[in-house]
Amino acid sequence: LPPFLYFYPNSPYSRKRSIISVTLNSLFVAIEAFYGIAANSLALLADSGHNLSDVLGLLTFALLKLS
């Protein structure tokens, strides 16, 4: 696919890619937060919070553009 179709709202791949990206990033946030708590690591917890804000941004973009 050409790069310009990645964010094209009417592309049949946009919804699938958005779901995959939000799901994988959410999974990464959960794993990172778990290991941050288990290892008592403030750095991992801070990065998990940062990635959570990225997930919320992706989710907002997906809801606004693909609805």
Side-chain angles (χ1 to χ4, degrees):
L1 278 173
F4 64 86
L5 286 179
Y6 184 75
F7 291 114
Y8 189 67
N10 296 326
S11 170
Y13 303 104
S14 292
R15 188 173 302 276
K16 183 178 179 181
R17 287 180 179 175
S18 295
I19 291 170
I20 289 171
S21 64
V22 168
T23 302
L24 288 177
N25 280 308
S26 297
L27 182 64
F28 186 75
V29 166
I31 291 170
E32 193 171 32
F34 172 77
Y35 281 106
I37 292 169
N40 200 20
S41 172
L42 187 58
L44 282 175
L45 288 174
D47 192 46
S48 175
H50 173 244
N51 288 337
L52 180 62
S53 70
D54 293 341
V55 168
L56 293 175
L58 282 172
L59 192 59
T60 302
F61 176 79
L63 290 175
L64 290 176
K65 293 292 183 182
L66 299 175
S67 61

